[in-house]
């Protein structure tokens, strides 16, 4: 009989000498949690959270722990690839090449472009964490055609906030759930942002706070809500206007806050038909003027927060009105009964919720014993907050009316007195900025010359029509960002690029470079036609309309098949990265923070970090900013760039804010530190600074904070940041549409009408533009998609562990509505939009608003990609609704994309559909490419619970040549 040894529970396990731990930053989603990676030898064995980390506080989720299987995914690209010259693009017939062949080929293409017409390079990136670096690289190249994925994601959220309060939600701001009594969430999927928000909601509910979710679907966070308010997609703006209607009608506006910290009392010139109409009345010094109760007109600062919010005044023959009256006039039309007819929310519910918000904010103020001094010079003995907090994301943003909806949300916060106050919305460092932030792209063709860097950053925030990148009515950018079509396209328009490039509008390009964006699958719309555009040829010459396509990616995605050259990237566990204050930081409301990634594993075979590859290309091209006056490289790797780069020579500001200076003893501003990464490694890969209590709130008005922010170069001068209840920049575009602006303005009547209609200086609601394109009776439903908590973009559904949690996605529909249409639970159905149709399996769900159909995103995979077996459920039972989402509006000339007319945000959630029984009992369409083996073969193999015909060669991992 075998001997059994009893183990003392106090006995310590023997230490494994082969175990070691490395701290880094997760990238299984965009939360950027701090993680501790445990390795046994060179193999990653466990991933957990870092308790001290400001983002996740030691918590980690299923995605974070499953990073192991992302690292060891069979879908990894292992070496550079080039399209077989004898094979057409799109068939996936790629051949391995050495690095020098790939680099020299691409260098040749890019060198010719830069020497002749830098516009002919279009470089667009996905949800990477190197946007500051990528934007700098493109600027040094000299092309105007760079942007990240925001146009397809949530530029409306970013721009709506920046043009309202100089910050926004998500990476720019956060609901203060530690002090809130009421929390209202609009349109947030459970991956935005998973761990921090789960922790915050848990704390709110433990303290007895109330949680309300406004969403067409009750999933994820909605399951935790005290109240679900189902709403028709694309109607949130009408709901928000009605909430403001009730607050104003019932006297629940925080007028003291509005008078002191917003431009609500600023006097606006009321002179229709003149170039001054709708602009602020200013004194000779350019200061906004306000009226006092006495009727005297003084500057905004001189009024000391005592400007009146209502009235009509006449000066020098000009009629003047406080800006607040324009908002009041608009929202008083938005009655709860009107909103009910649009949103489906009963008017009694709208009134009840508005009263609850108003009464909680007024009757239960947060009073903190924190004295502070405002920009008027007034001293406050306490810090007062309004405990009503909001969070919102793509559910509000991804509509063609989303910008004005989000403007409305921030105006609602201002009326409640809940912007950067305890219990409300709080900025994350380095915000707030001026409204909008004072950065904008160079607007003239001569700013983009051969062999020259661009004259300014490539993205920013226009303030007048003179900032447009246009020549007459024609766009200067391939994505038409900053044109009359999409004037405030602060994140560009990645979704517009392929069609415009294929059609040669506004001009043909030579090379399309794509990094970390699956543009042939889930990061595009009208998928089948998009694939045809990538392979389209000129009828006369037979050449591809997009001559060269370069893809940088870690995995064998659907887009790889359409590349001419593929550069294999590393995973986040194999490289150095910076989550930077210059980009999308990990700051919390209590102060700035940033972090690094450091390698926990060697690069897979011949893969290299994309940033290293781009630096090598920059050095070969001798791009200014990357080489010195003698043409010698300043940086050899991204590791060098992270530590040595400065925003301007001698600025002392770089990618990382901590441990600056030659001794690592400075923060935020200091000389580059060539050992900076070592300091971060010693501090578990992150740095943070907590603001003093008297600088944590009212930062737009807190003079001590403003002085400090200017000293660390977050803002130019320590001047007041006045919140924009009323947007004068929007009004300048309306004047251009009316032909009254003295500078740039469009001549095309349709372009002019769009500016007049959509550029209201106060929030408005209008139906999604798809309602003008689709037959609403033929297509009565809207279809939505959102990411599940288990997956992020398309990264999760090839992960062996995460696939076991979710690997197929039916479409969900309210059972009452489904029965009305004669549809049964579990049957196959056709889903048809105005551009095409697809099949899916239908499931009943009571957690869906009746006029909505929804499903998960990024679960489905195209056959032949991701090293998945052709019979895998992601191929045979999962569906991708991108196939039927229209990319173009159905106007008579096909000139406009299905984008928000203000920002160019893709109307991702506006698609209207009909659903009816399908005779086809399988997934259709079935786009596929020839399957490829993305990894090198090896004798010893290990499967890692992954069903694939080409499992991982174990000993190959970690034997990179880099």
């Amino acid at each position: 009989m075998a001997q059994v040894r009893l183990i003392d529970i106090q006995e310590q396990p023997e230490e494994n000498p082969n175990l070691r731990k490395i701290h880094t930053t997760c990238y299984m989603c965009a939360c950027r949690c701090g993680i501790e990676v445990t390795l046994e030898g060179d193999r990653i064995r466990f991933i957990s959270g870092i308790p001290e980390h400001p983002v996740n506080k030691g918590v980690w989720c299923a995605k974070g722990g499953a990073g192991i299987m992302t690292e060891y995914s069979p879908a990894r690209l292992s070496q550079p690839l080039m399209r077989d010259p004898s094979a057409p693009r799109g068939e996936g017939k790629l051949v391995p090449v050495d690095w020098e062949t790939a680099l020299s080929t691409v260098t040749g293409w890019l060198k010719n472009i830069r020497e002749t017409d830098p516009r002919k390079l279009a470089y667009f990136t996905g949800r990477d964490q190197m946007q500051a670096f990528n934007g700098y690289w493109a600027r040094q190249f000299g092309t105007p055609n760079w942007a990240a994925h925001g146009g397809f994601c949530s530029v409306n959220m970013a721009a709506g906030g920046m043009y309202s309060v100089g910050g926004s939600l998500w990476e720019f701001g956060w609901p203060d759930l530690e002090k809130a009594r009421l929390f209202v969430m609009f349109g947030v999927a459970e991956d935005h942002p998973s761990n921090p928000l789960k922790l915050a909601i848990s704390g709110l509910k433990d303290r007895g706070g109330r949680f309300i979710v406004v969403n067409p679907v009750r999933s994820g966070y909605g399951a935790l809500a005290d109240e679900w308010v189902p709403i028709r997609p694309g109607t949130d703006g009408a709901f928000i206007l009605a909430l403001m209607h009730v607050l104003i009608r019932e006297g629940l506006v925080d007028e003291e806050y509005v008078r002191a910290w917003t431009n609500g009392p600023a006097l606006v010139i009321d002179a229709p038909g003149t170039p001054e109409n709708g602009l602020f009345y200013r004194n000779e010094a350019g200061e906004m003027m306000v009226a006092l109760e006495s009727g005297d007109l003084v500057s905004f600062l001189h009024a000391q927060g005592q400007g009146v919010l209502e009235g009509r005044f006449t000066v020098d023959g000009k009629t003047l009105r406080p800006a607040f009256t324009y908002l009041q006039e608009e929202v008083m039309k938005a009655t709860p009964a009107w909103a009910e007819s649009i949103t489906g929310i009963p008017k009694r519910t709208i009134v009840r919720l508005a009263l609850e918000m108003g009464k909680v904010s007024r009757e239960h103020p947060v009073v903190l014993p924190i004295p502070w001094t405002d920009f008027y010079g007034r001293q406050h003995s306490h810090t007062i907050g309004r405990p009503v907090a909001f969070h919102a994301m793509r559910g509000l943003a991804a509509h063609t009316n989303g910008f004005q909806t989000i403007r409305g949300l921030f105006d609602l916060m201002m009326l409640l007195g809940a912007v950067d106050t305890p219990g409300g919305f709080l900025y994350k460092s380095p915000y707030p900025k001026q409204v909008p932030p004072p950065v904008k792209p160079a607007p003239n063709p001569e700013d983009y010359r051969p062999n020259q860097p661009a004259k300014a950053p490539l993205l920013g925030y226009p303030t007048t029509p003179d900032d447009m990148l246009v020549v007459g009515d024609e766009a200067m950018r391939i994505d038409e960002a900053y044109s009359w079509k999409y004037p405030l396209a602060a994140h560009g328009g990645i979704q517009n690029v392929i069609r415009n490039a294929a059609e040669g509008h506004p001009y043909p390009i030579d090379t399309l470079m794509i990094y970390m964006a699956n543009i042939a699958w889930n990061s595009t719309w009208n998928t089948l036609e998009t694939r045809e555009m990538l392979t389209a040829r000129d009828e006369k010459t037979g050449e591809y309309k997009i001559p060269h396509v370069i893809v940088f990616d870690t995995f064998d995605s659907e887009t790889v098949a359409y590349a001419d050259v593929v550069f294999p990237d590393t995973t986040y566990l194999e490289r150095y990265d910076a989550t930077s204050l210059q980009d999308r930081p990990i700051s919390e409301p209590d102060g700035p923070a940033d972090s690094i990634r450091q390698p926990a594993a060697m690069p897979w075979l011949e893969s290299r970090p994309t940033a290293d590859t781009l630096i090598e290309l920059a050095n070969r091209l001798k791009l200014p900013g990357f080489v010195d006056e003698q043409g010698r490289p300043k940086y050899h790797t991204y590791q060098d760039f992270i530590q040595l780069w400065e925003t301007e020579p001698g600025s002392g500001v770089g990618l990382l804010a901590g441990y600056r200076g030659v001794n690592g003893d400075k923060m935020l501003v200091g000389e580059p530190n060539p050992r900076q990464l070592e300091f971060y490694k010693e501090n578990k890969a992150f740095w943070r600074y907590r603001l003093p209590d008297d600088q944590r709130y009212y930062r737009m008005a807190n003079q001590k904070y403003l002085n400090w922010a200017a000293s660390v170069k977050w803002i130019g001068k320590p001047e007041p940041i006045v919140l924009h209840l009323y947007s004068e920049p929007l009004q300048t575009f309306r004047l251009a549409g009316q032909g009254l602006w003295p500078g740039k303005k469009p001549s095309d009547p349709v372009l002019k009408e769009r500016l007049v209609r959509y550029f209201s200086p106060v929030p408005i609601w209008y139906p999604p533009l798809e309602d003008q394109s689709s037959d609403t009776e033929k297509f009565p439903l809207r279809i939505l998609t959102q990411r599940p908590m288990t997956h992020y973009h398309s990264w999760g559904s090839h992960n062996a562990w995460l696939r076991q949690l979710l690997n197929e996605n039916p479409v969900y529909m309210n059972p009452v509505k489904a029965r009305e249409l004669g549809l049964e639970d579990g049957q196959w159905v056709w889903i048809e939009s105005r551009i095409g149709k697809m099949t899916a399996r239908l499931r009943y769900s009571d957690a869906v608003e009746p006029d909505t159909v929804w499903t998960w995103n990024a679960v489905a995979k195209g056959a032949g990609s991701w090293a998945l077996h052709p019979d895998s459920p992601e191929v045979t039972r999962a569906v991708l609704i991108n196939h039927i989402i229209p990319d173009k509006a159905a106007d008579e000339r096909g000139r406009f994309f299905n984008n928000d007319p203000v920002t160019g945000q893709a109307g991702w959630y506006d698609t209207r559909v009909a659903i009816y029984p399908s005779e086809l009992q399988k997934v259709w369409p079935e786009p596929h490419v020839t399957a490829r083996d993305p990894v090198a073969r090896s004798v010893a193999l290990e499967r890692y619970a992954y069903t694939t015909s080409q499992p991982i060669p174990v000993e190959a991992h970690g034997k990179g040549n880099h």
Side-chain angles (χ1 to χ4, degrees), residues 183-240:
F183 177 40
V184 183
M185 178 186 286
F186 289 87
V188 179
E190 47 262 45
D191 66 318
H192 261 102
S194 179
N195 289 333
L197 197 50
K198 284 183 286 189
L199 288 169
I201 292 172
S202 175
L204 172 83
K205 292 181 73 67
D206 286 347
R207 289 185 292 274
R210 195 161 121 76
F211 177 29
I212 300 171
V213 163
V214 183
N215 200 313
V217 179
R218 186 173 193 170
S219 67
Y221 302 125
L224 305 175
D226 298 294
E227 181 175 358
W228 172 43
V229 182
I231 187 171
R232 293 172 184 149
T235 67
D236 304 82
F239 175 55
I240 290 168

Side-chain angles (χ1 to χ4, degrees), residues 79-87 92-98 101-102 560 563-566 932-933:
Q79 59 196 114
L81 303 170
M82 292 183 69
R83 179 168 54 86
D84 185 331
S86 65
K93 294 181 178 178
L94 304 167
V95 296
V97 297
D98 60 81
T101 298
V560 168
D564 300 307
V565 176
V566 179
R932 295 174 301 288
D933 176 9

